[in-house]
Amino acid sequence: PAVSPPTKVELTFTKFEPQHGSPGGPDYRNARLTYRISVPKRMEYPVINFSVETSSGKLFERVSRLPGGSAYIEPGDDTEHTVALDPASRDDWADAYAKTDHAMFNWSVEGESSGGIEKPLKKAWP
């Protein structure tokens, strides 16, 4: 059966690779989040805000725009996109990260929609 298109922009997180090393360290590698975006109609690729949050505040963030700036996305496009997450600037970052096993992975598209899912922070998934 045909899947009816979403009524608003929807994001599905498909994969996560945790960070490697410590921010600022020689072996540091950003955490990476892979996602698919579903749209109700052909539209310009939106600006997406990503954040990873815990009860003590934000740990990672990234504002993502598609490279090139003028790309469109079509309904039914199931391309996977990967974004590198930046550590949030906070004095107690390492401490907060060390204490956290699960976090809320959130996304939002300005004026459209938002969502999130709780997932492990220190091990790869799906």
Side-chain angles (χ1 to χ4, degrees):
V3 178
S4 57
T7 54
K8 58 187 196 304
V9 176
E10 290 287 351
L11 243 70
T12 307
F13 295 140
T14 57
K15 193 171 138 191
F16 175 69
E17 296 164 61
Q19 73 171 46
H20 181 288
S22 300
D27 60 346
Y28 180 68
R29 193 179 66 234
N30 286 59
R32 295 162 64 83
L33 190 58
T34 302
Y35 66 93
R36 284 195 189 104
I37 182 167
S38 306
V39 296
K41 60 186 186 308
R42 182 175 193 259
M43 60 183 280
E44 277 187 47
Y45 197 89
V47 174
I48 306 167
N49 291 292
F50 293 96
S51 66
V52 178
E53 300 189 38
T54 70
S55 54
S56 72
K58 195 181 286 188
L59 284 176
F60 293 98
E61 58 196 340
R62 171 56 70 100
V63 175
S64 173
R65 296 169 178 82
L66 198 69
S70 65
Y72 283 82
I73 185 158
E74 306 278 351
D77 180 348
D78 64 358
T79 307
E80 294 199 345
H81 305 276
T82 299
V83 61
L85 300 172
D86 298 317
S89 51
R90 48 186 285 187
D91 296 337
D92 64 342
W93 190 93
D95 191 42
Y97 181 81
K99 286 189 203 140
T100 304
D101 286 320
H102 277 73
M104 280 300 293
F105 288 74
N106 298 313
W107 61 271
S108 67
V109 174
E110 201 172 320
E112 279 280 345
S113 50
S114 61
I117 187 168
E118 189 177 329
K119 289 282 197 180
L121 180 65
K122 294 174 181 158
K123 47 182 192 273
W125 41 268

